[in-house]
Each structure stands twice: as C-alpha cells, then as structure tokens.
Amino acid sequence: MKLLRTEGLSKHFGGVAAVEDLSLDVDEGEIFGLIGPNGSGKTTALNMLSGFLAPDRGRVFFADEEVTDATPVALARRGLLRMFQTTRVFSRISAFDNLLTAGLARGLTEFEAGERARALLEELTLAPVMYLDAGQLSGGQRKLLEFGMCFIAPPRIALLDEPFAAVHPVMRETMAGFIRRRNAAGHTFLVVSHDMPIVVELCHRTACMNAGRLIALGPTRDVLQDRAVIEAYLGSDAHA
Ligand SMILES: Nc1ncnc2c1ncn2[C@@H]1O[C@H](COP(=O)(O)OP(=O)(O)OP(=O)(O)O)[C@@H](O)[C@H]1O
Ligand SMILES: [Mg+2]
C-alpha cells in the first residue's frame, strides 16, 4: 500500500519556487530517501507532508485519505510523526523525563511510558546518562533522545530531516541500526540526508530534488548514478 502520497505539491516564497509540482509516494514498510543539494526544497516538502506548512497547490494523502489540510497534531495521532533538522528536546529536564513526558503526551500511562523509556534508553545507548539534564548531552546524544521520544509510541511513518548531520559516526551507526530494526518490525521511514553512504545502506528507494523539482526517483543506487543527480550536486560547473 502507498502509505504517503503527494500530488503536484507546490510552495512559493515570494519569487522562490521552494517546491514545484512534487508528486511522490512512499510504500508502507519502506525506507524512502529524499536527497538534493542545499536549498532544493527538502525541508519545505517535509513541512507540507507533516502539516506544518500549507501548500499553495497540490494534495497529500496518508493511508489513502486526504490530509492536505490536517494539522501536525492530527497527523501525529494518525501515526505520521516528524523529526526536525534542529533537535527539539527539553534541555532542563533529564533524558528519562523527556521520554516520560513524550509518552504521557501520546496517551501512555506513567507505568507504560516509564517501561518504554527504560527500554529505549538501553537500545539507544543512553542508559548511562538517563538522569542527566538533556542540555548536558552531546548533540548526537540529544538526537538519539529525540529518536526515543518519537518512538515511545511508534508512528506508522517517521519523517526525519537530516538526522545524521554533525553526529559522531558511532552514534550515526546506533541511529542507522535503530531505523533498520524498526523498519524490520514494519515501520516506514522517509529520511532526508546528505550522507550518501547511509542513504545507500538504508534507503530502498530515493528521490532527488533540485531547485524545488523532483529530478529522479527510483532504487537508491540508480538515483545516485543518475546524470541529472550528479550534475545537480556538482552545480553548473558540471556543464563546463
Ligand atoms: N520560510 C521561508 N521563507 C522564504 N524562503 C524560504 C522559506 N523556507 C525555505 N525557503 C527557501 O526555499 C528554498 C528551499 O528551502 P529548503 O529549506 O526547503 O531546502 P532544503 O533542501 O531543506 O535545504 P538544506 O539541505 O540546506 O536543508 C530555499 O531557496 C530557501 O531559501
Ligand atoms: Mg533542509
């Protein structure tokens, strides 16, 4: 089944076509990559898919229902959750309490939230720092904590915006393993990343955007070898 689908999504900011006529679909159970040079429209696309930004034109469907005008909260309730390019955790409370808070906010009992929080801290290698204020954790650890908060009540699809950026390679591997295991358990992911080795390793299919437009979509290796994709990354010099 197509879990998430867009038809002709467009968003302009003043004279800039941040996203232009974007149509793509994510299958249930896949890890779908979204790549493209800086400023190509990836975050704007995620904002429209997750209800944070209203498109100028086009439609979004989740599990075959139109959700173009749905709010982020309504989408999260249905199982579509978004992680941001910048980490969003509460820095003045502990890692454990961040997870507890996320669990309660998603309707778990305190007991359930506590149990799941402990298991996630263990899996994400955060158990040794679980009682430190989140503000004292490294950038990578905060990112891992955010993964935990996202998965305390597992979404059907998680939209991740550059989760691996500026993260230590060991934690990057922890994140990739976490995504792989959740995917093996049936969860779907849409991952925006500039980290091509991880994209190749994780993503079944990948879409590439350039200047707001979709320029390639298919099996990840094919997309990375696509001439238009290589040229987009090299910039206009590639034509010289
Ligand atoms: N709120 C906004 N107001 C005006 N212009 C914006 C806004 N958000 C994005 N843009 C512009 O839209 C275009 C696409 O930006 P977007 O952030 O979606 O790109 P991106 O692919 O996520 O880039 P990056 O890889 O750097 O994160 C850029 O030209 C950007 O400057
Ligand atoms: Mg972005």
Side-chain angles (χ1 to χ4, degrees), residues 20-37:
E20 186 67 50
D21 199 22
L22 179 68
S23 297
L24 50 79
D25 55 72
V26 179
D27 289 326
E28 178 143 47
E30 84 173 326
I31 307 178
F32 187 94
L34 180 58
I35 64 169

Side-chain angles (χ1 to χ4, degrees), residues 81 95-110 112-121 124 145-155 178 182:
L81 212 68
F96 180 69
D97 284 344
N98 264 282
L99 286 166
L100 211 54
T101 307
L104 296 175
R106 305 267 288 284
L108 303 182
T109 65
E110 196 167 341
E112 281 172 333
E115 293 286 293
R116 291 194 198 178
R118 276 175 231 283
L120 283 163
L121 287 161
L124 293 165
L145 178 58
E146 211 184 345
F147 266 83
M149 291 165 74
C150 191
F151 278 86
I152 193 115
F178 186 86
R182 288 297 180 284

Side-chain angles (χ1 to χ4, degrees), residues 13 16-19 36-45 85 161-162 192 194:
F13 294 110
V16 179
V19 172
N38 292 118
S40 55
K42 306 179 296 296
T43 295
T44 304
Q85 203 161 355
D161 199 355
E162 299 196 25
V192 171
H194 286 291

Side-chain angles (χ1 to χ4, degrees), residues 2-16:
K2 303 293 178 201
L3 188 55
L4 187 61
R5 187 161 63 81
T6 71
E7 276 177 10
L9 274 192
S10 298
K11 186 74 193 179
H12 290 229
F13 294 110
V16 179

